Amino acid sequence: MRTRGFTRCGVIFGLSVVIVRLIGGSTGLVCYTAVESLDLGCLLRWDCLHASPNITYTVQTKTQGDPWQDVPWCVWISSRSCDVSHVFSDFELYNMIRLGVHLSPSSTVWIKPHKFDYSDFTFSPPSVSVSLKNDSISVKVQFPCATNRRCSHDACCPISKLIDPWTTVTVYNERNRSDNQSRTVWTQEVVSTVEFSGLSPGQNYCAVANFSFPTFSIAASPKSAPGCVETGSRWGMLPMYCVGLALSLLFLVLFLAGFLRKPRRDRTTADNPPKPLATVQDADSSAPPIFVDPCDIHVELVDDHSSIDSFHGFHKAPTSGAETKRSSQPTHFDHSRGVTVQHEVQDMTFESYN
């Protein structure tokens, strides 16, 4: 597949013809060389007419600012091609390739060098995948794999890892080609994603994409195979709207039912009022008797100094005539109020008459 791609590229760009005349012979040796490039690869082919089967060849490359260097796997070879894709890494610089013909171990003729730049580039078309996001279409562009020394040999290395291509994506209505949109973006990621909005509902839209080498539109890829998707219709969204409306109404009904249930409980409580309280008389009659500890009863005796002196005089000089004044009231418990009532005991005065 790769050889066919290089062959197509060689047909497009033509062949460089270089004639090498060998001084030591009567027959001149003519060599045709051509550079083929596909997806940033580089293949040098040559064909030397009337060349001896014992003639060998060497290929050299040169990058701007560097000297000529042998391609290690293309030194003193007898084949008629050399793949130098792993040699070049910076495609913004000038790159050169040349072929050396070894007429003898000590004699080498170098053919006029070939340049290798964007004018030699050809690309495979990218691939697209289309997805529908709400009312917009998202187009994902995947770039072809490149062969380069900075990429792994075991996995695909997209060319977007080596260059930042300009990517053009076009979305069109399959039934009405006049309904189309196109956008060109500068891709700086491995995969380019472009979104389109404002599309008519219920239509089948397709997307195609191509890309070109940065700042050089001459090196552009063919368009990709279309990727299509059908946009949703307005009537197709109606069931979803109905389901959402029904769920909202159900939630509202449940909320109102829960809110109105609480006043009904309060009304039920009001319809069954509490029983009336018993009368005070019934409460007094049914109240249990109150018992008083005798230790809680206190009796206070209030004396004054004169009575105390008189009391001492009574012991010292008793008389026959005595007048005693007493006034005392006993301490008792008031059952109706439940309190202890204390009465003062008046002082006792003893007077002697001489």
Side-chain angles (χ1 to χ4, degrees), residues 181-221:
Q181 299 182 39
S182 182
R183 290 184 59 188
T184 299
V185 296
W186 185 32
T187 302
Q188 295 179 292
E189 303 294 336
V190 176
V191 178
S192 181
T193 303
V194 183
E195 294 188 357
F196 295 86
S197 58
L199 305 176
S200 302
Q203 300 295 321
N204 192 27
Y205 282 91
C206 296
V208 293
N210 74 324
F211 64 93
S212 62
F213 191 79
T215 69
F216 297 103
S217 59
I218 188 175
S221 72

Side-chain angles (χ1 to χ4, degrees), residues 236-305:
M237 299 297 293
L238 184 60
M240 298 181 62
Y241 292 144
C242 293
V243 170
L245 181 61
L247 291 177
S248 301
L249 292 177
L250 179 60
F251 176 77
L252 181 61
V253 170
L254 293 177
F255 175 77
L256 292 177
F259 181 77
L260 297 176
R261 188 176 299 175
K262 184 176 179 180
R264 291 180 180 177
R265 292 179 179 176
D266 297 341
R267 192 180 300 111
T268 303
T269 305
D271 294 340
N272 299 323
K275 296 180 180 180
L277 299 175
T279 59
V280 179
Q281 297 177 357
D282 295 340
D284 293 340
S285 61
S286 61
I290 300 175
F291 298 95
V292 180
D293 190 353
C295 297
D296 294 335
I297 302 175
H298 300 280
V299 178
E300 295 182 3
L301 300 177
V302 181
D303 313 338
D304 57 4
H305 294 286

Side-chain angles (χ1 to χ4, degrees), residues 56-277:
T56 56
Y57 309 93
T58 294
V59 177
Q60 290 184 341
T61 59
K62 173 184 174 63
T63 301
Q64 182 179 354
D66 296 332
W68 286 101
Q69 296 180 351
D70 292 340
V71 178
W73 52 90
C74 295
V75 176
W76 293 84
I77 61 175
S78 59
S79 63
R80 304 301 175 89
S81 65
C82 177
D83 188 354
V84 295
S85 302
H86 299 279
V87 175
F88 303 117
S89 58
D90 193 343
F91 302 100
E92 300 289 343
L93 300 178
Y94 293 106
N95 298 299
M96 307 293 290
I97 310 170
R98 71 179 180 177
L99 173 67
V101 182
H102 300 288
L103 301 179
S104 66
S106 59
S107 176
T108 302
V109 178
W110 294 100
I111 309 301
K112 183 180 178 179
H114 271 287
K115 65 177 178 59
F116 177 63
D117 57 15
Y118 65 90
S119 62
D120 298 313
F121 294 157
T122 57
F123 298 103
S124 301
S127 59
V128 297
S129 59
V130 185
S131 60
L132 186 63
K133 292 184 177 180
N134 298 328
D135 295 334
S136 63
I137 289 180
S138 177
V139 181
K140 182 180 293 185
V141 181
Q142 181 69 47
F143 300 94
C145 303
T147 302
N148 192 275
R149 65 180 182 181
R150 290 187 295 173
C151 295
S152 173
H153 297 281
D154 300 330
C156 173
C157 176
I159 64 168
S160 51
K161 280 189 174 182
L162 306 177
I163 61 174
D164 297 329
W166 286 97
T167 306
T168 301
V169 181
T170 302
V171 172
Y172 60 90
N173 191 332
E174 193 174 24
R175 299 176 182 176
N176 181 15
R177 290 300 182 95
S178 61
D179 180 12
N180 64 79
Q181 299 182 39
S182 182
R183 290 184 59 188
T184 299
V185 296
W186 185 32
T187 302
Q188 295 179 292
E189 303 294 336
V190 176
V191 178
S192 181
T193 303
V194 183
E195 294 188 357
F196 295 86
S197 58
L199 305 176
S200 302
Q203 300 295 321
N204 192 27
Y205 282 91
C206 296
V208 293
N210 74 324
F211 64 93
S212 62
F213 191 79
T215 69
F216 297 103
S217 59
I218 188 175
S221 72
K223 290 184 178 180
S224 65
C228 302
V229 68
E230 185 176 357
T231 57
S233 62
R234 294 189 178 95
W235 294 106
M237 299 297 293
L238 184 60
M240 298 181 62
Y241 292 144
C242 293
V243 170
L245 181 61
L247 291 177
S248 301
L249 292 177
L250 179 60
F251 176 77
L252 181 61
V253 170
L254 293 177
F255 175 77
L256 292 177
F259 181 77
L260 297 176
R261 188 176 299 175
K262 184 176 179 180
R264 291 180 180 177
R265 292 179 179 176
D266 297 341
R267 192 180 300 111
T268 303
T269 305
D271 294 340
N272 299 323
K275 296 180 180 180
L277 299 175

